[in-house]
Amino acid sequence: MRTLIILALLAGALLQGWKYLSGYQEGNPSGQARQASGNVDLQALAKTVPAGAVMMYTTSECPYCAQARSWLDQYGFSYTECNMSHDQRCHSEMQRLGGQGVPFLVVRGDPMGDGGFDTEEFIRRLRQ
């Protein structure tokens, strides 16, 4: 009996995790371009971002860079990637802008912190 309870709790937690990660919301089970934070239509917002407005400094071996890239691609955000593993110029640019870790994003010329990707902050900056 105890094992069944544990399995049921685990299954519930996995379902909630899937819903969270896929963007599932009641009435919008596909999770299409809706984010729980502020109910922002991310695909519509992405269409308002011109080419060159977002620069992302990365490295090839960075798993967080891959996650940020995947999130941006998922919603159709236009961005330019400067990969420090392939171009030394990217590293000096990032340092000049105050970046200390990757991914490091610059939105409309304004650096986002010193490294890392915060979707909430990214959305806020785009909506300004």
Side-chain angles (χ1 to χ4, degrees):
M1 182 65 164
R2 183 176 182 183
T3 304
L4 282 175
I5 292 172
I6 291 172
L7 287 175
L9 289 172
L10 183 58
L14 288 172
L15 178 61
Q16 290 302 315
W18 172 81
K19 285 181 178 182
Y20 174 78
L21 291 174
S22 69
Y24 178 92
Q25 293 179 354
E26 295 300 324
N28 184 22
S30 67
Q32 290 185 349
R34 293 281 181 204
Q35 177 145 332
S37 62
N39 222 12
V40 176
D41 184 340
L42 294 174
Q43 288 175 337
L45 179 61
K47 289 177 184 176
T48 68
V49 178
V54 176
M55 171 69 82
M56 179 168 62
Y57 294 88
T58 64
T59 62
S60 298
E61 45 289 319
C62 168
Y64 302 111
C65 299
Q67 288 174 345
R69 189 180 307 112
S70 176
W71 188 90
L72 292 167
D73 291 343
Q74 175 184 354
Y75 295 111
F77 285 98
S78 176
Y79 64 96
T80 303
E81 183 173 355
C82 199
N83 188 320
M84 294 183 286
S85 299
H86 301 285
D87 188 347
Q88 186 60 34
R89 175 188 55 87
C90 299
H91 187 263
S92 52
E93 280 180 20
M94 186 186 87
Q95 284 185 323
R96 182 178 50 78
L97 292 165
Q100 297 179 10
V102 290
F104 177 68
L105 280 86
V106 178
V107 178
R108 296 185 177 128
D110 186 23
M112 281 183 53
D114 59 5
F117 180 58
D118 179 344
T119 58
E120 300 292 325
E121 178 66 14
F122 179 74
I123 291 166
R124 187 186 68 72
R125 287 176 185 241
L126 287 176
R127 294 176 88 187
Q128 290 180 344

